[in-house]
Amino acid sequence: MAWMFMRDSAWKYLQSAHHGGDRNYSHYTSRDFYSQFGLEDFLCTDDIPGTDEDMDSAVLFGTLRGNVVGLRYYTGVVNNNEMVALQREPNNLYDKNAVKVNNVNGNQVGHIKKELAAPLAYIMDNKLAIVEGVVPYGAQNAFTMPVQMSFWGKEENKQAVLDKLKMHGFKLAPPSKSSEFGFGSSWVSGRAGPSYSAPGHAAMQMTTEQLKSEFDKLFEDLKEDDKTHEMEGAEAVGTPLLPHQKQALAWMVSRENSKELPLFWEEKNNFYYNTLTNFAEKERPENVLGGILADDMGLGKTLATIALILTNFHDGKPLSVEKIKSDQLHKVRDPRAFRLQGSQLTHEFLEALGFPPLGETSCNVEPSISNVKEKSETVQSQCSSSRPKRAKAEKPKYTVSSDSEESEEWLPQQTRTASCVIQEDTGFASALASPSAPLKKKAKKKGTAIVQSVKKNDSEEGPRTTLIICPLSVLSNWIDQFEQHIRPDVRLNIYVYYGPDRSKDPAFISKQDIVLTTYNILASDYGVFQILFLILGTPIQNSLKDLWSLLSFLKLKPFTDREWWHRTIQRPVMLGDQGGLRRLQSLIKNITLRRTKTSKIKGKPVLELPERKVFIQHVTLTEEERKIYQSVKNEGKAAISRYFNEGTVLAHYADVLGVLLRLRQLCCHPHLCTNTSSSSCQIGYSTPEELREKLVNKMKLVLSSGSDEECAICLDSLNLPVITHCAHVFCKPCICEVIQSEQPNAKCPLCRNELRVEHLVECPLEESDSSLEKKGDREWISSSKINALMHALIDLRKQNPAVKCLIVSQFTTFLSLIETPLKESGFVFTRLNGSMPQKKRVQAIQSFQDSQKGSPTIMLLSLKAGGVGLNLTAASRVFLMDPFIVKNSVEENMLKIQNKKRELAAGAFASKKLTASEVKQTKINEIKTLIDL
DNA sequence: ACCGCCGGGTGCC
DNA sequence: ACCGCCGGGTGCC
């Protein structure tokens, strides 16, 4: 009985599945499962069409008073003015039109009277309208109670709804102004309920612009807040914390251990009231633990979170250094911990961490985990009187056993201590920074990490396993940062759940202190790749949805159920209701901590960074270099002019990029431009071998140009890149999965051309090392740019021999070429490449950060490697080698375009949207500028 | 009386 | 439900 330890609403589904054999069971239970845990968003199972989209564009058709009957058969109770949910019950034995009425908690209250249920069933089943209810006088009814229903739907469905109701003798009251937002309607007497409606404003519909500005206003005073309490990190934290990090720590610890009543809840005469829905219950709502740390990039969220994990290690107490020392010093870290390879999620893994089993997507509700045995499971039907009561389930217990380890008690759902911190780098945080700016799915996924702790066993005391889920791109950053910030004498079991030989042993995993994994690993098990064809809503809708999934993860009642979120916050906000906007703001204030780089603490800026000075160094090519440059340029120019004449510039975009790339390479060093073969050959006329070679070259161009290194399917950096015959590059596993699932007529996700596995061309093994050697064999020569660099470096060394510099280029071969003169001039340097294994990276960073004499003063950094989350605070100078502007070259033209764009951005903030053809024209013009056409 | 009226049994879907 | 509805009991004044 896999679903037994889910909460009421799922339990209710289980019951209906048993009694009625509901065919949709597998569909909505899996959805319900995700929404219970808020992982939905991260597993990309959201955006199921036909739900949100319908609700977001809905208008109010009108209202109707009806009756709820059969109250005495159910336990669900309702207060005056409390919202209720109407739910179809197509498998009801007595009436296939049955419509259930549930309270906010999901407990059934009764049914809609059958005469009304008949048209309602038709309307609901055909999705003509969403029907919502509020019970005006709910408290004292023994047999029936009135319910005020609102019908929301698309304008085009309005007449059908009115007609159907009329057929059955019902007539909608037209929407009154004060019931505009679906609650706080006209029948509410003066005393009742919170003042949701804003009659004065409700009449006028906000324009999109007005809504945007209202929405932006919400976030203005969010930055500076009274979250000023500071807290020292535990001993185990090896890095001193900055004041704002101590504040973050204090705030997070207080949120982790919060005993406060959650937001929107009040205690009144021994009852707990939800002020949004008017729901009340005797039981205290669960504490909302955790929140959103939405600081700007670079303020040290990762460090703050590590500090949190160590400081609030278990039961609000820190990880004790002494204990760990004596206990575990002899323990050798599991060598698997730092292995990073492609892999799949297992049920066992999540189970071990206290997530409920993922179950099957069929009606089979047995857990698929062989070593989890049901220990006891009781369903008691308490028929104390003639009236049946809702069945109650005892919490099931599970025993996790494995061959080698002793059995231990395991309470999956209940032991989850639900404390979590959500770190946001570019997702919701960027929505906070600029809420109405477009939020790409891609950006959204980039930095978000979810930190979730789980108790290791069911005793109250004792350590927890902390699960960190983050994108692959920052996984290594997390590992680095743990290395950096935990005192070296502290031994923590950190396990990276990634790689084909990862341990699936629940006993092993549960023994870990920290487990790191990625969204993709989590998601891969579901084979969900529908993200390719997303229906993107408006930015505000998206950020509201993002927020909902976070809230759902935090388990803030009643928002775990999307309906209540939608009715109380999302729709009012989308309709521009002031009350809704206010509620949203207090919500965000309550659960997020956000500082920007310009935030201040006690009058001082959060981060005192030295002023950034940018110098543009101009370089003149030697005559020799200029000659080569000109000849390649002329050749390229000729080809591109031909494309212009044919009107096929954009069709040959890769070739154009290739020309530009070669020119940029020539600005750096003549040896960089190895492949001078002209771009004029046509793919269509080649032999298979030639075709293959061309595709490989194209792929290398894409990979080295730095313009787009991400797979459009997984949105992560390319893993085993392959190129299709239509010249698009994806991760091999990603595209293979697409082909597999679309058989037999798979199409390219980007251009819909035909796809075949045997047509995929793999990238030959990383040439860099071997070609490096080749270039080493070739006689080394300098270049104007290298000369300029060396001149600057030597100058700098004269002023201060200890100064540390970063030398950044996207061309790794260029970095290799720079190594020679560095050695000759006696510089000690280190290097960081994207392809370097994790261990080497850590070594390179550590030696560079070292301030002792003789430590490297220069780090050669490839752009790809330097992209994400590197702490290279030792450096005070950065040399960006490309561009490092060569006069009269493509680089100067690049600079011109950059400046022009900057002016545009600064000048016309009212950025009018460019049409697709305008975008094209801009691109064409840019190409013209670059190549002097 | 193939009615009216009475009063008990009963009650969601 | 202090209702409606059902169906059995009953029947001049």
Side-chain angles (χ1 to χ4, degrees):
Chain A
M1 301 292 286
W3 302 97
M4 293 292 286
F5 37 80
M6 298 187 57
R7 286 198 300 219
D8 284 351
S9 49
W11 165 239
K12 169 188 75 204
Y13 291 144
L14 183 64
Q15 285 187 306
S16 70
H18 270 297
H19 298 149
D22 189 323
R23 286 202 186 106
N24 286 326
Y25 173 62
S26 63
H27 171 69
Y28 61 55
T29 44
S30 65
R31 217 172 123 62
D32 185 78
F33 163 70
Y34 289 126
S35 64
Q36 293 284 313
F37 299 96
L39 281 169
E40 177 185 75
D41 200 46
F42 306 103
L43 299 179
C44 303
T45 55
D46 59 349
D47 300 296
I48 292 175
T51 50
D52 290 346
E53 286 70 21
D54 291 352
M55 301 221 292
D56 286 339
S57 57
V59 295
L60 181 58
F61 295 161
T63 61
L64 180 66
R65 178 73 76 99
N67 280 300
V68 186
V69 295
L71 301 191
R72 64 162 154 159
Y73 300 100
Y74 307 99
T75 53
V77 288
V78 183
N79 280 301
N80 289 351
N81 301 312
E82 183 172 329
M83 294 183 175
V84 288
L86 305 189
Q87 187 191 20
R88 279 282 286 124
E89 194 182 30
N91 293 309
N92 187 295
L93 290 173
Y94 304 93
D95 183 1
K96 61 179 171 40
N97 291 327
V99 176
K100 285 207 291 183
V101 178
N102 299 337
N103 70 9
V104 175
N105 222 14
N107 296 330
Q108 184 167 0
V109 175
H111 280 102
I112 293 290
K113 211 166 157 38
K114 61 177 181 298
E115 291 79 7
L116 180 55
L120 279 194
Y122 177 83
I123 289 165
M124 292 167 85
D125 293 345
N126 291 295
K127 299 197 161 58
L128 297 176
I130 299 228
V131 189
E132 296 176 351
V134 179
V135 172
Y137 312 107
Q140 301 292 325
N141 304 294
F143 304 99
T144 66
M145 60 169 84
V147 57
Q148 188 76 11
M149 286 169 291
S150 308
F151 291 69
W152 299 82
K154 288 190 181 144
E155 190 60 52
E156 65 257 38
N157 292 328
K158 184 171 178 174
Q159 202 50 50
V161 170
L162 294 179
D163 289 350
K164 187 72 194 177
L165 286 169
K166 198 176 174 187
M167 260 169 62
H168 292 257
F170 298 100
K171 190 169 180 281
L172 285 191
S176 70
K177 276 171 191 168
S178 54
S179 61
E180 192 82 29
F181 303 110
F183 49 146
S185 324
S186 51
W187 40 263
V188 174
S189 59
R191 54 138 234 109
S195 54
Y196 289 137
S197 58
H201 301 274
M204 48 175 188
Q205 177 69 40
M206 277 195 175
T207 66
T208 314
E209 286 305 312
Q210 277 173 311
L211 179 57
K212 268 188 184 177
S213 101
E214 286 292 324
F215 198 72
D216 282 334
K217 255 193 251 165
L218 281 188
F219 298 86
E220 270 171 21
D221 59 337
L222 216 60
K223 288 184 251 172
E224 313 295 331
D225 214 343
D226 55 350
K227 292 157 183 166
T228 52
H229 189 66
E230 289 185 16
M231 181 179 192
E232 296 293 334
E235 264 188 279
V237 184
T239 307
L241 302 180
L242 295 172
H244 74 279
Q245 291 161 348
K246 289 181 194 169
Q247 285 185 3
L249 177 62
W251 177 75
M252 287 197 286
V253 167
S254 77
R255 293 235 35 112
E256 287 264 303
N257 303 304
S258 169
K259 300 274 189 301
E260 269 174 42
L261 213 49
L263 187 64
F264 303 128
W265 287 86
E266 286 171 8
E267 192 181 351
K268 263 192 226 163
N269 340 306
N270 290 328
F271 269 90
Y272 297 93
Y273 279 84
N274 183 269
T275 57
L276 297 183
T277 57
N278 288 325
F279 175 74
E281 63 182 339
K282 196 104 185 130
E283 227 171 281
R284 196 182 199 281
E286 283 223 12
N287 294 329
V288 174
L289 306 175
I292 302 167
L293 180 57
D295 280 351
D296 256 5
M297 282 175 93
L299 294 187
K301 285 183 293 297
T302 311
L303 171 57
T305 306
I306 290 171
L308 171 72
I309 294 167
L310 301 177
T311 308
N312 196 50
F313 200 69
H314 55 91
D315 306 313
K317 289 188 287 271
L319 170 67
S320 137
V321 172
E322 287 69 32
K323 195 179 163 218
I324 295 290
K325 257 188 199 166
S326 53
D327 264 21
Q328 305 191 355
L329 201 56
H330 59 281
K331 245 189 178 174
V332 180
R333 199 187 297 251
D334 191 302
R336 286 171 294 191
F338 292 97
R339 212 166 288 170
L340 301 173
Q341 277 143 44
S343 79
Q344 272 204 329
L345 167 82
T346 61
H347 295 287
E348 287 92 330
F349 170 65
L350 284 184
E351 173 83 1
L353 287 162
F355 286 86
L358 299 165
E360 315 284 16
T361 41
S362 68
C363 288
N364 175 11
V365 291
E366 293 292 325
S368 56
I369 295 134
S370 53
N371 59 351
V372 175
K373 289 176 213 139
E374 226 166 86
K375 201 176 179 191
S376 71
E377 176 229 319
T378 325
V379 181
Q380 293 180 330
S381 264
Q382 296 178 329
C383 301
S384 52
S385 66
S386 62
R387 286 173 189 177
K389 281 224 171 103
R390 220 175 118 257
K392 277 185 184 160
E394 217 173 66
K395 291 173 181 177
K397 285 187 177 180
Y398 288 84
T399 302
V400 175
S401 59
S402 71
D403 301 334
S404 55
E405 302 288 335
E406 277 177 54
S407 294
E408 45 181 307
E409 283 275 285
W410 202 257
L411 281 167
Q413 160 69 3
Q414 282 75 14
T415 51
R416 229 166 56 108
T417 51
S419 66
C420 80
V421 175
I422 296 171
Q423 270 202 323
E424 285 276 330
D425 269 329
T426 50
F428 190 68
S430 73
L432 290 174
S434 174
S436 52
L439 229 188
K440 283 187 186 164
K441 192 90 178 180
K442 189 169 159 175
K444 174 172 139 185
K445 299 200 81 182
K446 261 205 163 143
T448 314
I450 298 178
V451 182
Q452 168 98 39
S453 17
V454 182
K455 279 197 182 166
K456 288 182 183 174
N457 51 54
D458 67 349
S459 68
E460 270 310 304
E461 295 285 319
R464 302 168 179 181
T465 301
T466 299
L467 168 64
I468 297 175
I469 311 159
C470 63
L472 179 61
S473 55
V474 296
L475 186 63
S476 58
N477 183 41
W478 274 93
I479 301 168
D480 289 356
Q481 302 250 344
F482 271 111
E483 289 277 314
Q484 265 183 45
H485 295 302
I486 298 179
R487 265 173 51 168
D489 55 337
V490 174
R491 288 280 161 200
L492 271 186
N493 293 322
I494 302 177
Y495 185 67
V496 179
Y497 185 86
Y498 202 101
D501 48 356
R502 71 207 173 277
S503 167
K504 297 168 192 174
D505 178 5
F508 170 74
I509 287 167
S510 66
K511 285 210 174 69
Q512 304 303 311
D513 297 302
I514 288 151
V515 174
L516 284 160
T517 191
T518 70
Y519 302 120
N520 287 337
I521 292 284
L522 274 172
S524 64
D525 201 38
Y526 303 97
V528 184
F529 284 110
Q530 299 120 329
I531 41 168
L532 281 178
F533 305 103
L534 283 182
I535 306 152
L536 292 170
T538 69
I540 292 175
Q541 276 170 15
N542 276 348
S543 45
L544 282 177
K545 277 180 205 167
D546 290 348
L547 179 57
W548 174 76
S549 61
L550 295 178
L551 286 178
S552 177
F553 191 83
L554 291 175
K555 297 204 277 184
L556 173 52
K557 240 179 152 181
F559 295 139
T560 41
D561 185 332
R562 212 185 194 111
E563 174 171 352
W564 310 116
W565 162 253
H566 194 265
R567 285 175 66 170
T568 58
I569 309 263
Q570 182 165 335
R571 188 173 53 216
V573 168
M574 293 312 293
L575 291 173
D577 171 48
Q578 294 294 326
L581 286 161
R582 267 201 309 279
R583 287 192 291 282
L584 177 60
Q585 184 173 36
S586 49
L587 179 62
I588 290 166
K589 269 195 175 175
N590 189 266
I591 59 162
T592 63
L593 177 63
R594 164 159 177 76
R595 283 82 54 86
T596 61
K597 281 170 184 153
T598 54
S599 296
K600 287 182 181 173
I601 288 184
K602 296 166 200 153
K604 277 189 174 175
V606 162
L607 276 189
E608 292 189 76
L609 290 175
E611 197 192 341
R612 188 186 63 159
K613 292 178 192 153
V614 180
F615 301 98
I616 293 177
Q617 175 81 48
H618 288 274
V619 178
T620 312
L621 295 182
T622 63
E623 218 166 287
E624 182 82 0
E625 289 167 343
R626 175 60 63 182
K627 254 190 222 163
I628 305 174
Y629 183 88
Q630 279 303 341
S631 81
V632 174
K633 179 176 170 180
N634 289 339
E635 193 188 323
K637 206 167 161 178
I640 294 175
S641 322
R642 199 172 58 244
Y643 300 146
F644 268 114
N645 293 336
E646 292 166 2
T648 57
V649 182
L650 295 178
H652 290 92
Y653 210 64
D655 291 334
V656 173
L657 284 180
V659 172
L660 294 172
L661 177 71
R662 276 195 286 282
L663 293 179
R664 279 159 55 212
Q665 287 171 331
L666 285 173
C667 287
C668 293
H669 197 284
H671 284 183
L672 288 186
C673 182
T674 47
N675 189 0
T676 44
S677 75
S678 82
S679 52
S680 53
C681 356
Q682 300 290 315
I683 280 181
Y685 301 106
S686 326
T687 66
E689 234 354 273
E690 280 169 4
L691 172 65
R692 192 190 159 75
E693 196 180 317
K694 261 172 215 121
L695 287 172
V696 168
N697 283 337
K698 278 209 175 189
M699 175 156 48
K700 281 186 189 162
L701 267 180
V702 172
L703 294 179
S704 62
S705 69
S707 59
D708 187 17
E709 304 158 354
E710 280 160 350
C711 166
I713 299 171
C714 67
L715 307 173
D716 234 315
S717 50
L718 286 162
N719 165 30
L720 292 175
V722 290
I723 189 163
T724 62
H725 272 200
C726 48
H728 294 108
V729 180
F730 303 98
C731 302
K732 190 178 183 187
C734 293
I735 195 67
C736 285
E737 179 129 6
V738 169
I739 295 172
Q740 185 85 31
S741 65
E742 287 187 28
Q743 263 174 358
N745 296 315
K747 292 196 171 77
C748 171
L750 289 176
C751 67
R752 311 305 291 159
N753 263 317
E754 199 193 324
L755 269 189
R756 284 174 152 209
V757 178
E758 58 271 25
H759 285 174
L760 297 176
V761 178
E762 287 186 41
C763 191
L765 280 173
E766 194 54 58
E767 238 182 46
S768 58
D769 284 345
S770 54
S771 65
L772 240 171
E773 297 312 313
K774 266 185 235 156
K775 268 164 207 134
D777 297 343
R778 212 155 140 189
E779 200 185 341
W780 185 85
I781 58 162
S782 188
S783 74
S784 303
K785 214 181 247 192
I786 290 184
N787 288 343
L789 170 72
M790 290 311 297
H791 186 78
L793 286 176
I794 290 168
D795 234 29
L796 210 59
R797 186 167 60 179
K798 272 182 204 156
Q799 290 168 33
N800 177 4
V803 70
K804 299 217 177 200
C805 301
L806 290 178
I807 297 174
V808 184
S809 172
Q810 61 177 301
F811 309 115
T812 48
T813 40
F814 189 36
L815 293 176
S816 304
L817 285 164
I818 294 171
E819 288 188 12
T820 309
L822 286 179
K823 278 179 205 154
E824 279 173 7
S825 302
F827 285 98
V828 183
F829 62 88
T830 175
R831 183 169 171 160
L832 196 66
N833 275 0
S835 57
M836 271 164 88
Q838 196 52 45
K839 254 195 174 151
K840 278 194 160 181
R841 287 174 69 115
V842 173
Q843 278 171 11
I845 293 169
Q846 274 174 356
S847 67
F848 184 66
Q849 290 287 91
D850 197 335
S851 58
Q852 284 172 27
K853 257 196 173 174
S855 64
T857 59
I858 288 171
M859 174 181 270
L860 297 168
L861 185 63
S862 86
L863 199 62
K864 213 172 161 182
V868 200
L870 277 182
N871 262 351
L872 297 170
T873 48
S876 55
R877 293 276 175 139
V878 179
F879 292 89
L880 300 171
M881 297 306 290
D882 33 274
F884 194 122
I885 302 296
V886 171
K887 283 191 173 174
N888 297 318
S889 77
V890 66
E891 290 188 334
E892 220 169 58
N893 294 333
M894 283 161 66
L895 211 60
K896 280 182 201 160
I897 290 179
Q898 234 180 53
N899 285 333
K900 205 163 118 192
K901 285 195 171 172
R902 201 172 295 147
E903 276 167 38
L904 265 176
F909 195 71
S911 53
K912 74 170 166 86
K913 266 192 187 164
L914 294 177
T915 63
S917 67
E918 281 174 314
V919 171
K920 266 187 196 167
Q921 196 51 50
T922 317
K923 277 194 176 171
I924 288 174
N925 289 340
E926 283 172 8
I927 293 169
K928 279 187 175 175
T929 310
L930 286 172
I931 198 94
D932 294 323
L933 260 172

PDB file of all heavy atoms in Angstrom, chain A residues 73 95 111, chain B residues 11-13:
ATOM      1  N   TYR A  73     -23.571  12.351   6.822  1.00  0.00           N
ATOM      2  CA  TYR A  73     -22.799  11.139   6.514  1.00  0.00           C
ATOM      3  C   TYR A  73     -21.301  11.384   6.498  1.00  0.00           C
ATOM      4  O   TYR A  73     -20.529  10.460   6.326  1.00  0.00           O
ATOM      5  CB  TYR A  73     -23.241  10.580   5.158  1.00  0.00           C
ATOM      6  CG  TYR A  73     -24.706  10.216   5.155  1.00  0.00           C
ATOM      7  CD1 TYR A  73     -25.642  11.066   4.598  1.00  0.00           C
ATOM      8  CD2 TYR A  73     -25.125   9.038   5.774  1.00  0.00           C
ATOM      9  CE1 TYR A  73     -26.993  10.744   4.621  1.00  0.00           C
ATOM     10  CE2 TYR A  73     -26.462   8.711   5.812  1.00  0.00           C
ATOM     11  CZ  TYR A  73     -27.398   9.569   5.234  1.00  0.00           C
ATOM     12  OH  TYR A  73     -28.718   9.242   5.288  1.00  0.00           O
ATOM     13  N   ASP A  95     -25.441   7.853  -8.439  1.00  0.00           N
ATOM     14  CA  ASP A  95     -25.640   8.903  -9.438  1.00  0.00           C
ATOM     15  C   ASP A  95     -24.310   9.204 -10.116  1.00  0.00           C
ATOM     16  O   ASP A  95     -23.377   9.690  -9.485  1.00  0.00           O
ATOM     17  CB  ASP A  95     -26.184  10.160  -8.753  1.00  0.00           C
ATOM     18  CG  ASP A  95     -26.489  11.263  -9.754  1.00  0.00           C
ATOM     19  OD1 ASP A  95     -26.303  11.042 -10.968  1.00  0.00           O
ATOM     20  OD2 ASP A  95     -26.919  12.348  -9.318  1.00  0.00           O
ATOM     21  N   HIS A 111     -22.705  16.291  -0.603  1.00  0.00           N
ATOM     22  CA  HIS A 111     -22.842  16.283  -2.051  1.00  0.00           C
ATOM     23  C   HIS A 111     -23.688  17.465  -2.486  1.00  0.00           C
ATOM     24  O   HIS A 111     -24.513  17.961  -1.716  1.00  0.00           O
ATOM     25  CB  HIS A 111     -23.530  15.000  -2.515  1.00  0.00           C
ATOM     26  CG  HIS A 111     -22.628  13.823  -2.582  1.00  0.00           C
ATOM     27  ND1 HIS A 111     -22.608  12.852  -1.619  1.00  0.00           N
ATOM     28  CD2 HIS A 111     -21.707  13.466  -3.502  1.00  0.00           C
ATOM     29  CE1 HIS A 111     -21.716  11.927  -1.942  1.00  0.00           C
ATOM     30  NE2 HIS A 111     -21.145  12.278  -3.080  1.00  0.00           N
TER      31      HIS A 111
ATOM     32  P    DG B  11     -33.958   5.960   5.941  1.00  0.00           P
ATOM     33  OP1  DG B  11     -33.449   4.890   5.082  1.00  0.00           O
ATOM     34  OP2  DG B  11     -33.465   6.129   7.321  1.00  0.00           O
ATOM     35  O5'  DG B  11     -33.759   7.356   5.199  1.00  0.00           O
ATOM     36  C5'  DG B  11     -34.428   7.606   3.964  1.00  0.00           C
ATOM     37  C4'  DG B  11     -34.160   9.037   3.551  1.00  0.00           C
ATOM     38  O4'  DG B  11     -35.032   9.909   4.295  1.00  0.00           O
ATOM     39  C3'  DG B  11     -32.736   9.486   3.876  1.00  0.00           C
ATOM     40  O3'  DG B  11     -32.232  10.269   2.794  1.00  0.00           O
ATOM     41  C2'  DG B  11     -32.892  10.331   5.115  1.00  0.00           C
ATOM     42  C1'  DG B  11     -34.264  10.929   4.914  1.00  0.00           C
ATOM     43  N9   DG B  11     -34.934  11.311   6.149  1.00  0.00           N
ATOM     44  C8   DG B  11     -34.900  10.659   7.356  1.00  0.00           C
ATOM     45  N7   DG B  11     -35.593  11.246   8.281  1.00  0.00           N
ATOM     46  C5   DG B  11     -36.131  12.356   7.639  1.00  0.00           C
ATOM     47  C6   DG B  11     -36.978  13.390   8.144  1.00  0.00           C
ATOM     48  O6   DG B  11     -37.444  13.512   9.269  1.00  0.00           O
ATOM     49  N1   DG B  11     -37.284  14.319   7.151  1.00  0.00           N
ATOM     50  C2   DG B  11     -36.827  14.270   5.856  1.00  0.00           C
ATOM     51  N2   DG B  11     -37.226  15.253   5.066  1.00  0.00           N
ATOM     52  N3   DG B  11     -36.035  13.321   5.385  1.00  0.00           N
ATOM     53  C4   DG B  11     -35.730  12.404   6.323  1.00  0.00           C
ATOM     54  P    DC B  12     -30.604  10.156   2.436  1.00  0.00           P
ATOM     55  OP1  DC B  12     -30.263   8.848   1.875  1.00  0.00           O
ATOM     56  OP2  DC B  12     -29.881  10.667   3.609  1.00  0.00           O
ATOM     57  O5'  DC B  12     -30.604  11.223   1.252  1.00  0.00           O
ATOM     58  C5'  DC B  12     -30.565  12.600   1.571  1.00  0.00           C
ATOM     59  C4'  DC B  12     -29.563  13.266   0.657  1.00  0.00           C
ATOM     60  O4'  DC B  12     -28.230  12.925   1.107  1.00  0.00           O
ATOM     61  C3'  DC B  12     -29.677  12.762  -0.777  1.00  0.00           C
ATOM     62  O3'  DC B  12     -29.454  13.859  -1.663  1.00  0.00           O
ATOM     63  C2'  DC B  12     -28.557  11.744  -0.901  1.00  0.00           C
ATOM     64  C1'  DC B  12     -27.510  12.316   0.050  1.00  0.00           C
ATOM     65  N1   DC B  12     -26.658  11.266   0.636  1.00  0.00           N
ATOM     66  C2   DC B  12     -25.262  11.439   0.612  1.00  0.00           C
ATOM     67  O2   DC B  12     -24.796  12.475   0.111  1.00  0.00           O
ATOM     68  N3   DC B  12     -24.479  10.475   1.130  1.00  0.00           N
ATOM     69  C4   DC B  12     -25.033   9.386   1.660  1.00  0.00           C
ATOM     70  N4   DC B  12     -24.217   8.467   2.166  1.00  0.00           N
ATOM     71  C5   DC B  12     -26.426   9.199   1.699  1.00  0.00           C
ATOM     72  C6   DC B  12     -27.197  10.156   1.173  1.00  0.00           C
ATOM     73  P    DC B  13     -29.917  13.700  -3.153  1.00  0.00           P
ATOM     74  OP1  DC B  13     -30.100  15.066  -3.668  1.00  0.00           O
ATOM     75  OP2  DC B  13     -31.007  12.700  -3.224  1.00  0.00           O
ATOM     76  O5'  DC B  13     -28.628  13.053  -3.815  1.00  0.00           O
ATOM     77  C5'  DC B  13     -27.477  13.854  -4.018  1.00  0.00           C
ATOM     78  C4'  DC B  13     -26.331  12.968  -4.428  1.00  0.00           C
ATOM     79  O4'  DC B  13     -26.015  12.072  -3.350  1.00  0.00           O
ATOM     80  C3'  DC B  13     -26.631  12.076  -5.621  1.00  0.00           C
ATOM     81  O3'  DC B  13     -26.180  12.707  -6.810  1.00  0.00           O
ATOM     82  C2'  DC B  13     -25.831  10.813  -5.351  1.00  0.00           C
ATOM     83  C1'  DC B  13     -25.456  10.892  -3.881  1.00  0.00           C
ATOM     84  N1   DC B  13     -25.943   9.765  -3.046  1.00  0.00           N
ATOM     85  C2   DC B  13     -25.000   9.001  -2.350  1.00  0.00           C
ATOM     86  O2   DC B  13     -23.799   9.285  -2.461  1.00  0.00           O
ATOM     87  N3   DC B  13     -25.426   7.979  -1.580  1.00  0.00           N
ATOM     88  C4   DC B  13     -26.725   7.717  -1.494  1.00  0.00           C
ATOM     89  N4   DC B  13     -27.100   6.690  -0.713  1.00  0.00           N
ATOM     90  C5   DC B  13     -27.701   8.471  -2.196  1.00  0.00           C
ATOM     91  C6   DC B  13     -27.268   9.494  -2.963  1.00  0.00           C
TER      92       DC B  13
END
